[in-house]
Structures are given as structure tokens and as C-alpha cells.
Amino acid sequence: IDLHHDILFFLILILVFVLWMLVRVLWHFYYEFHPFPQRIVHGTTIEIIWTIFPSIILMFIAIPSFALLYSMDEVVVDPAITIKAIGHQWYWTYEYSDYNSSDEQSLTFDSYMIPEDDLELGQLRLLEVDNRVVVPAKTHLRMIVTSADVLHSWAVPSLGVKCDAVPGRLNQTSILVKREGVYYGQCSEICGTNHAFMPIVVE
């Protein structure tokens, strides 16, 4: 919100200046006042000013923009739960490995879309899965996202999350679920013929 207000301040200044210049040009160079226009080839000073001045304005806009951009990518230092999402053609595998001792196998399950013929009354077509990701509300979560085969993307728009799943790479993102509910998402990377059939459900 602060970034929006800062940029709006610069936009209003620019708008007022440009409107003032337009009105001034229309008034002073009206054909009845100046029937014989002057031929001006160039003006070095004005060209330097109209190159440097917008650059300075862009710097004032860029500094808070970059600060916000990098702070949005900051992952919570001490999340309550870490969940690993692994994209496959064409389903998701989830691992909860926080609470295991070294000799235990992590809690792992696959999440497949429920076929249309098996849907129960009230379930959403192409969005329901057999195993949902269950997480606590009002808790900081860390999602680690990767892929086992091709590019996927773990995206839940209602949680404000979209993270690419790249083979051989671990990407991470933070989530804070503010209220209880069921949140639906889908793979948002075109990953093959069944791309549209690997939904995500977070409960």
C-alpha cells in the first residue's frame, strides 16, 4: 500500500507537469498569436534535462519497488511446518518430514485428481483430489517445491502462492493461511497431455 501511494505521488506530479506543458504550448503557439512558426532544430540543454530527469524519477520508484520485491521473497526464518511438494506427470506427492527421527521414513502420500465418475455430491469437477494437503491455520508454513520429471508449477491463487517445480532444483515459498477453509489450485505450467488433471487442494 505504501509503494502504491509513493508511486501515485510521482504519477500526479508527472500528470500535472505534462498537462501544464500542453496547456502552455496550446496557448502560446496558437496560430493567431504566432502565424509564422519558428524552425527550431535542436536544444542540447532541454534534451539533457528530459533524459536525466525521468531517469531520476525512475530511480526513486525503483528503490522501494526492489525492496518490496525482495522482502516478498523472504522465507520465514522459523516456520512451524515444512512441506515438500513434488510434481509428477500428472499428480503431486507431498512429504511432511519435520517431526521424524533420523531412522523414520517421512510421512509421504500421493495426491491424484478424483475422476469425474467417482465424484460425490458437492465435490468440484477437475479440482477434487483423493488426498488433501492438511495444514494448520494462522501458522507460518514453508513449501519446498520440486519436480521428478518435467516443469510443473504449484499454484494456489487464493493463498497467493505460485512456485515453479523444476527438476533437480528446490524452490521454496512461505504461506500464512489466515482462516480455515478449503483452497483449490492447479498446476499452472503446461507439463504435458494431462496437465489440466493435477489439481491441488489445501485444507
Side-chain angles (χ1 to χ4, degrees), residues 29-73:
F29 296 95
Y30 188 55
Y31 73 96
E32 288 186 358
F33 301 150
H34 296 276
F36 303 106
Q38 288 183 337
R39 177 177 166 81
I40 300 173
V41 179
H42 66 276
T44 307
T45 308
I46 191 68
E47 288 177 12
I48 291 172
I49 290 171
W50 75 37
T51 302
I52 292 175
F53 194 63
S55 303
I56 294 169
I57 293 174
L58 286 174
M59 280 174 44
F60 276 108
I61 293 174
I63 291 168
S65 299
F66 288 140
L68 181 62
L69 196 64
Y70 284 111
S71 66
M72 285 174 66
D73 279 340

Short mmCIF file of all heavy atoms in Angstrom, two decimals, residues 29-73:
data_model
loop_
_atom_site.label_atom_id
_atom_site.label_comp_id
_atom_site.label_asym_id
_atom_site.label_seq_id
_atom_site.Cartn_x
_atom_site.Cartn_y
_atom_site.Cartn_z
N PHE A 29 1.39 28.91 -28.61
CA PHE A 29 1.70 28.66 -30.02
C PHE A 29 0.43 28.52 -30.85
O PHE A 29 0.41 27.85 -31.88
CB PHE A 29 2.59 27.42 -30.15
CG PHE A 29 3.93 27.60 -29.51
CD1 PHE A 29 4.17 27.19 -28.21
CD2 PHE A 29 4.95 28.24 -30.20
CE1 PHE A 29 5.39 27.39 -27.61
CE2 PHE A 29 6.19 28.44 -29.60
CZ PHE A 29 6.41 28.02 -28.30
N TYR A 30 -0.62 29.16 -30.40
CA TYR A 30 -1.86 29.19 -31.19
C TYR A 30 -1.59 30.01 -32.46
O TYR A 30 -0.89 31.02 -32.42
CB TYR A 30 -2.97 29.82 -30.34
CG TYR A 30 -4.33 29.75 -30.96
CD1 TYR A 30 -4.87 28.53 -31.36
CD2 TYR A 30 -5.09 30.91 -31.16
CE1 TYR A 30 -6.13 28.47 -31.91
CE2 TYR A 30 -6.36 30.85 -31.72
CZ TYR A 30 -6.87 29.63 -32.10
OH TYR A 30 -8.12 29.57 -32.66
N TYR A 31 -2.16 29.57 -33.58
CA TYR A 31 -1.77 30.17 -34.87
C TYR A 31 -2.13 31.66 -34.96
O TYR A 31 -1.48 32.40 -35.71
CB TYR A 31 -2.40 29.38 -36.03
CG TYR A 31 -3.88 29.58 -36.22
CD1 TYR A 31 -4.36 30.51 -37.14
CD2 TYR A 31 -4.79 28.83 -35.48
CE1 TYR A 31 -5.71 30.69 -37.31
CE2 TYR A 31 -6.14 29.01 -35.65
CZ TYR A 31 -6.61 29.95 -36.57
OH TYR A 31 -7.96 30.12 -36.75
N GLU A 32 -3.14 32.13 -34.22
CA GLU A 32 -3.46 33.56 -34.30
C GLU A 32 -2.42 34.40 -33.58
O GLU A 32 -2.18 35.54 -33.98
CB GLU A 32 -4.85 33.80 -33.68
CG GLU A 32 -5.98 33.28 -34.56
CD GLU A 32 -7.34 33.65 -34.00
OE1 GLU A 32 -7.41 34.28 -32.92
OE2 GLU A 32 -8.35 33.32 -34.66
N PHE A 33 -1.80 33.86 -32.53
CA PHE A 33 -0.75 34.61 -31.83
C PHE A 33 0.58 34.55 -32.58
O PHE A 33 1.35 35.50 -32.58
CB PHE A 33 -0.54 34.05 -30.41
CG PHE A 33 -1.78 34.11 -29.57
CD1 PHE A 33 -2.00 33.16 -28.58
CD2 PHE A 33 -2.74 35.09 -29.75
CE1 PHE A 33 -3.14 33.21 -27.78
CE2 PHE A 33 -3.88 35.16 -28.97
CZ PHE A 33 -4.08 34.21 -27.99
N HIS A 34 0.88 33.40 -33.20
CA HIS A 34 2.14 33.20 -33.92
C HIS A 34 1.84 32.62 -35.30
O HIS A 34 1.96 31.43 -35.53
CB HIS A 34 3.05 32.23 -33.15
CG HIS A 34 3.47 32.75 -31.82
ND1 HIS A 34 4.54 33.61 -31.65
CD2 HIS A 34 2.97 32.55 -30.58
CE1 HIS A 34 4.67 33.89 -30.37
NE2 HIS A 34 3.73 33.26 -29.70
N PRO A 35 1.48 33.49 -36.24
CA PRO A 35 1.14 32.97 -37.58
C PRO A 35 2.35 32.40 -38.32
O PRO A 35 2.17 31.57 -39.21
CB PRO A 35 0.58 34.20 -38.30
CG PRO A 35 1.11 35.38 -37.54
CD PRO A 35 1.31 34.94 -36.14
N PHE A 36 3.56 32.82 -37.96
CA PHE A 36 4.76 32.32 -38.64
C PHE A 36 5.59 31.52 -37.64
O PHE A 36 6.30 32.11 -36.81
CB PHE A 36 5.59 33.48 -39.22
CG PHE A 36 4.80 34.33 -40.16
CD1 PHE A 36 4.37 35.60 -39.77
CD2 PHE A 36 4.46 33.87 -41.43
CE1 PHE A 36 3.64 36.39 -40.63
CE2 PHE A 36 3.72 34.66 -42.29
CZ PHE A 36 3.30 35.92 -41.90
N PRO A 37 5.51 30.18 -37.67
CA PRO A 37 6.24 29.35 -36.70
C PRO A 37 7.74 29.45 -36.91
O PRO A 37 8.22 29.62 -38.04
CB PRO A 37 5.73 27.94 -36.98
CG PRO A 37 5.26 27.98 -38.39
CD PRO A 37 4.75 29.36 -38.63
N GLN A 38 8.47 29.34 -35.81
CA GLN A 38 9.93 29.33 -35.89
C GLN A 38 10.41 27.92 -36.12
O GLN A 38 9.81 26.96 -35.66
CB GLN A 38 10.53 29.86 -34.59
CG GLN A 38 10.36 31.36 -34.41
CD GLN A 38 11.04 31.83 -33.15
OE1 GLN A 38 11.26 31.05 -32.25
NE2 GLN A 38 11.38 33.10 -33.12
N ARG A 39 11.53 27.79 -36.81
CA ARG A 39 12.11 26.47 -37.05
C ARG A 39 13.22 26.25 -36.01
O ARG A 39 14.25 26.90 -36.05
CB ARG A 39 12.67 26.40 -38.47
CG ARG A 39 13.37 25.10 -38.81
CD ARG A 39 13.83 25.09 -40.27
NE ARG A 39 14.78 24.02 -40.52
CZ ARG A 39 14.42 22.75 -40.74
NH1 ARG A 39 13.15 22.43 -40.74
NH2 ARG A 39 15.33 21.84 -40.98
N ILE A 40 12.96 25.34 -35.07
CA ILE A 40 13.95 25.02 -34.05
C ILE A 40 14.52 23.64 -34.37
O ILE A 40 13.79 22.65 -34.44
CB ILE A 40 13.32 25.01 -32.63
CG1 ILE A 40 12.74 26.40 -32.34
CG2 ILE A 40 14.33 24.60 -31.58
CD1 ILE A 40 11.95 26.46 -31.06
N VAL A 41 15.83 23.57 -34.58
CA VAL A 41 16.47 22.31 -34.98
C VAL A 41 16.72 21.43 -33.76
O VAL A 41 16.34 20.27 -33.72
CB VAL A 41 17.79 22.59 -35.73
CG1 VAL A 41 18.46 21.28 -36.10
CG2 VAL A 41 17.51 23.42 -36.97
N HIS A 42 17.37 21.98 -32.74
CA HIS A 42 17.62 21.19 -31.53
C HIS A 42 17.95 22.13 -30.38
O HIS A 42 18.28 23.29 -30.58
CB HIS A 42 18.77 20.20 -31.74
CG HIS A 42 20.10 20.88 -31.93
ND1 HIS A 42 20.52 21.34 -33.16
CD2 HIS A 42 21.09 21.19 -31.04
CE1 HIS A 42 21.71 21.90 -33.02
NE2 HIS A 42 22.08 21.82 -31.76
N GLY A 43 17.82 21.57 -29.16
CA GLY A 43 18.19 22.29 -27.95
C GLY A 43 18.89 21.32 -27.02
O GLY A 43 18.24 20.48 -26.39
N THR A 44 20.22 21.44 -26.94
CA THR A 44 21.00 20.46 -26.17
C THR A 44 20.61 20.45 -24.69
O THR A 44 20.46 19.39 -24.10
CB THR A 44 22.51 20.80 -26.30
OG1 THR A 44 22.83 20.89 -27.68
CG2 THR A 44 23.35 19.72 -25.65
N THR A 45 20.39 21.62 -24.12
CA THR A 45 20.08 21.69 -22.68
C THR A 45 18.78 20.97 -22.35
O THR A 45 18.73 20.14 -21.43
CB THR A 45 19.97 23.17 -22.24
OG1 THR A 45 21.15 23.85 -22.66
CG2 THR A 45 19.83 23.26 -20.74
N ILE A 46 17.73 21.26 -23.11
CA ILE A 46 16.44 20.63 -22.82
C ILE A 46 16.49 19.13 -23.06
O ILE A 46 15.85 18.35 -22.35
CB ILE A 46 15.31 21.31 -23.64
CG1 ILE A 46 13.92 20.86 -23.14
CG2 ILE A 46 15.42 20.99 -25.11
CD1 ILE A 46 13.56 21.34 -21.78
N GLU A 47 17.26 18.69 -24.05
CA GLU A 47 17.38 17.25 -24.32
C GLU A 47 18.09 16.54 -23.17
O GLU A 47 17.73 15.42 -22.81
CB GLU A 47 18.09 17.00 -25.64
CG GLU A 47 17.22 17.36 -26.85
CD GLU A 47 17.94 17.20 -28.17
OE1 GLU A 47 19.02 16.60 -28.18
OE2 GLU A 47 17.41 17.68 -29.19
N ILE A 48 19.10 17.18 -22.59
CA ILE A 48 19.79 16.59 -21.43
C ILE A 48 18.83 16.52 -20.24
O ILE A 48 18.75 15.51 -19.54
CB ILE A 48 21.05 17.41 -21.08
CG1 ILE A 48 22.10 17.23 -22.18
CG2 ILE A 48 21.61 17.00 -19.72
CD1 ILE A 48 23.30 18.14 -22.05
N ILE A 49 18.06 17.59 -20.03
CA ILE A 49 17.13 17.63 -18.89
C ILE A 49 16.06 16.55 -19.04
O ILE A 49 15.78 15.80 -18.08
CB ILE A 49 16.49 19.03 -18.77
CG1 ILE A 49 17.54 20.04 -18.32
CG2 ILE A 49 15.31 19.01 -17.81
CD1 ILE A 49 17.08 21.48 -18.38
N TRP A 50 15.45 16.42 -20.24
CA TRP A 50 14.36 15.45 -20.36
C TRP A 50 14.86 14.01 -20.47
O TRP A 50 14.05 13.09 -20.55
CB TRP A 50 13.38 15.82 -21.46
CG TRP A 50 13.77 15.61 -22.90
CD1 TRP A 50 14.49 14.61 -23.44
CD2 TRP A 50 13.36 16.44 -23.99
NE1 TRP A 50 14.59 14.76 -24.79
CE2 TRP A 50 13.90 15.88 -25.17
CE3 TRP A 50 12.61 17.60 -24.10
CZ2 TRP A 50 13.71 16.43 -26.42
CZ3 TRP A 50 12.41 18.14 -25.36
CH2 TRP A 50 12.96 17.57 -26.50
N THR A 51 16.17 13.81 -20.48
CA THR A 51 16.72 12.46 -20.37
C THR A 51 17.06 12.13 -18.92
O THR A 51 16.76 11.04 -18.43
CB THR A 51 17.98 12.32 -21.24
OG1 THR A 51 17.64 12.62 -22.60
CG2 THR A 51 18.53 10.91 -21.17
N ILE A 52 17.71 13.07 -18.22
CA ILE A 52 18.17 12.81 -16.86
C ILE A 52 17.02 12.85 -15.85
O ILE A 52 16.94 12.00 -14.96
CB ILE A 52 19.27 13.83 -16.47
CG1 ILE A 52 20.52 13.57 -17.31
CG2 ILE A 52 19.58 13.76 -14.99
CD1 ILE A 52 21.62 14.57 -17.11
N PHE A 53 16.11 13.80 -15.99
CA PHE A 53 15.04 13.97 -15.00
C PHE A 53 14.14 12.73 -14.89
O PHE A 53 13.89 12.25 -13.78
CB PHE A 53 14.23 15.22 -15.34
CG PHE A 53 13.34 15.67 -14.22
CD1 PHE A 53 13.87 16.09 -13.01
CD2 PHE A 53 11.96 15.67 -14.37
CE1 PHE A 53 13.06 16.50 -11.97
CE2 PHE A 53 11.13 16.08 -13.34
CZ PHE A 53 11.68 16.49 -12.14
N PRO A 54 13.64 12.15 -16.01
CA PRO A 54 12.86 10.90 -15.89
C PRO A 54 13.67 9.75 -15.30
O PRO A 54 13.13 8.91 -14.59
CB PRO A 54 12.42 10.59 -17.32
CG PRO A 54 12.46 11.91 -18.01
CD PRO A 54 13.60 12.65 -17.40
N SER A 55 14.97 9.70 -15.60
CA SER A 55 15.81 8.64 -15.02
C SER A 55 15.86 8.74 -13.51
O SER A 55 15.81 7.72 -12.80
CB SER A 55 17.23 8.72 -15.59
OG SER A 55 17.21 8.64 -16.98
N ILE A 56 15.95 9.96 -13.00
CA ILE A 56 15.97 10.17 -11.54
C ILE A 56 14.62 9.74 -10.93
O ILE A 56 14.59 9.07 -9.89
CB ILE A 56 16.30 11.64 -11.22
CG1 ILE A 56 17.73 11.96 -11.65
CG2 ILE A 56 16.11 11.94 -9.74
CD1 ILE A 56 18.08 13.42 -11.61
N ILE A 57 13.53 10.11 -11.60
CA ILE A 57 12.21 9.70 -11.11
C ILE A 57 12.10 8.18 -11.08
O ILE A 57 11.60 7.59 -10.11
CB ILE A 57 11.09 10.31 -11.99
CG1 ILE A 57 11.05 11.83 -11.82
CG2 ILE A 57 9.73 9.71 -11.65
CD1 ILE A 57 10.09 12.53 -12.75
N LEU A 58 12.58 7.51 -12.13
CA LEU A 58 12.54 6.04 -12.17
C LEU A 58 13.38 5.43 -11.05
O LEU A 58 13.01 4.39 -10.49
CB LEU A 58 13.02 5.53 -13.53
CG LEU A 58 12.04 5.72 -14.69
CD1 LEU A 58 12.68 5.29 -16.00
CD2 LEU A 58 10.77 4.93 -14.44
N MET A 59 14.50 6.06 -10.69
CA MET A 59 15.30 5.56 -9.58
C MET A 59 14.53 5.66 -8.27
O MET A 59 14.55 4.74 -7.45
CB MET A 59 16.62 6.32 -9.49
CG MET A 59 17.66 5.84 -10.48
SD MET A 59 19.16 6.84 -10.48
CE MET A 59 19.49 7.07 -8.77
N PHE A 60 13.83 6.77 -8.06
CA PHE A 60 13.03 6.93 -6.83
C PHE A 60 11.89 5.92 -6.76
O PHE A 60 11.47 5.53 -5.68
CB PHE A 60 12.48 8.36 -6.75
CG PHE A 60 13.45 9.34 -6.17
CD1 PHE A 60 14.06 10.30 -6.99
CD2 PHE A 60 13.78 9.32 -4.82
CE1 PHE A 60 14.96 11.21 -6.46
CE2 PHE A 60 14.67 10.23 -4.29
CZ PHE A 60 15.27 11.18 -5.11
N ILE A 61 11.37 5.51 -7.93
CA ILE A 61 10.33 4.49 -7.95
C ILE A 61 10.94 3.10 -7.78
O ILE A 61 10.37 2.24 -7.10
CB ILE A 61 9.51 4.58 -9.25
CG1 ILE A 61 8.71 5.88 -9.28
CG2 ILE A 61 8.59 3.38 -9.42
CD1 ILE A 61 7.99 6.14 -10.58
N ALA A 62 12.11 2.87 -8.38
CA ALA A 62 12.71 1.53 -8.38
C ALA A 62 13.20 1.09 -7.00
O ALA A 62 13.05 -0.07 -6.64
CB ALA A 62 13.87 1.49 -9.38
N ILE A 63 13.76 2.02 -6.22
CA ILE A 63 14.35 1.62 -4.93
C ILE A 63 13.31 0.98 -4.01
O ILE A 63 13.51 -0.14 -3.54
CB ILE A 63 15.07 2.82 -4.28
CG1 ILE A 63 16.32 3.16 -5.11
CG2 ILE A 63 15.44 2.51 -2.83
CD1 ILE A 63 16.96 4.48 -4.76
N PRO A 64 12.15 1.63 -3.73
CA PRO A 64 11.16 0.93 -2.90
C PRO A 64 10.55 -0.29 -3.58
O PRO A 64 10.16 -1.24 -2.90
CB PRO A 64 10.11 2.01 -2.62
CG PRO A 64 10.29 3.04 -3.67
CD PRO A 64 11.72 3.00 -4.05
N SER A 65 10.48 -0.29 -4.92
CA SER A 65 9.93 -1.44 -5.63
C SER A 65 10.80 -2.67 -5.42
O SER A 65 10.31 -3.76 -5.13
CB SER A 65 9.81 -1.16 -7.13
OG SER A 65 8.95 -0.09 -7.37
N PHE A 66 12.12 -2.50 -5.58
CA PHE A 66 13.04 -3.63 -5.38
C PHE A 66 13.03 -4.10 -3.94
O PHE A 66 13.09 -5.30 -3.65
CB PHE A 66 14.45 -3.25 -5.81
CG PHE A 66 14.61 -3.14 -7.30
CD1 PHE A 66 15.39 -2.13 -7.86
CD2 PHE A 66 14.00 -4.03 -8.16
CE1 PHE A 66 15.54 -2.02 -9.24
CE2 PHE A 66 14.14 -3.93 -9.53
CZ PHE A 66 14.91 -2.93 -10.07
N ALA A 67 12.96 -3.15 -3.00
CA ALA A 67 12.92 -3.52 -1.58
C ALA A 67 11.70 -4.40 -1.29
O ALA A 67 11.79 -5.42 -0.60
CB ALA A 67 12.91 -2.27 -0.71
N LEU A 68 10.54 -4.00 -1.85
CA LEU A 68 9.33 -4.78 -1.63
C LEU A 68 9.41 -6.14 -2.33
O LEU A 68 9.00 -7.16 -1.78
CB LEU A 68 8.12 -4.00 -2.15
CG LEU A 68 6.76 -4.68 -1.98
CD1 LEU A 68 6.44 -4.88 -0.51
CD2 LEU A 68 5.67 -3.86 -2.64
N LEU A 69 9.97 -6.15 -3.54
CA LEU A 69 10.09 -7.38 -4.30
C LEU A 69 10.93 -8.41 -3.56
O LEU A 69 10.55 -9.58 -3.44
CB LEU A 69 10.70 -7.07 -5.67
CG LEU A 69 10.58 -8.12 -6.76
CD1 LEU A 69 9.13 -8.34 -7.13
CD2 LEU A 69 11.37 -7.71 -7.98
N TYR A 70 12.07 -7.97 -3.03
CA TYR A 70 12.95 -8.90 -2.31
C TYR A 70 12.35 -9.31 -0.97
O TYR A 70 12.51 -10.44 -0.53
CB TYR A 70 14.34 -8.29 -2.11
CG TYR A 70 15.16 -8.30 -3.38
CD1 TYR A 70 15.48 -7.14 -4.05
CD2 TYR A 70 15.60 -9.51 -3.92
CE1 TYR A 70 16.22 -7.16 -5.22
CE2 TYR A 70 16.33 -9.54 -5.09
CZ TYR A 70 16.64 -8.36 -5.73
OH TYR A 70 17.36 -8.39 -6.89
N SER A 71 11.65 -8.40 -0.29
CA SER A 71 11.06 -8.76 1.00
C SER A 71 9.91 -9.75 0.82
O SER A 71 9.65 -10.57 1.70
CB SER A 71 10.57 -7.52 1.74
OG SER A 71 9.51 -6.91 1.05
N MET A 72 9.22 -9.71 -0.34
CA MET A 72 8.16 -10.68 -0.60
C MET A 72 8.72 -12.08 -0.79
O MET A 72 8.04 -13.07 -0.53
CB MET A 72 7.36 -10.27 -1.84
CG MET A 72 6.42 -9.11 -1.60
SD MET A 72 5.62 -8.55 -3.11
CE MET A 72 4.61 -9.95 -3.51
N ASP A 73 9.97 -12.18 -1.24
CA ASP A 73 10.59 -13.49 -1.44
C ASP A 73 11.25 -14.03 -0.18
O ASP A 73 11.76 -15.15 -0.18
CB ASP A 73 11.66 -13.40 -2.56
CG ASP A 73 11.02 -13.47 -3.93
OD1 ASP A 73 9.87 -13.96 -4.02
OD2 ASP A 73 11.65 -13.06 -4.91
#
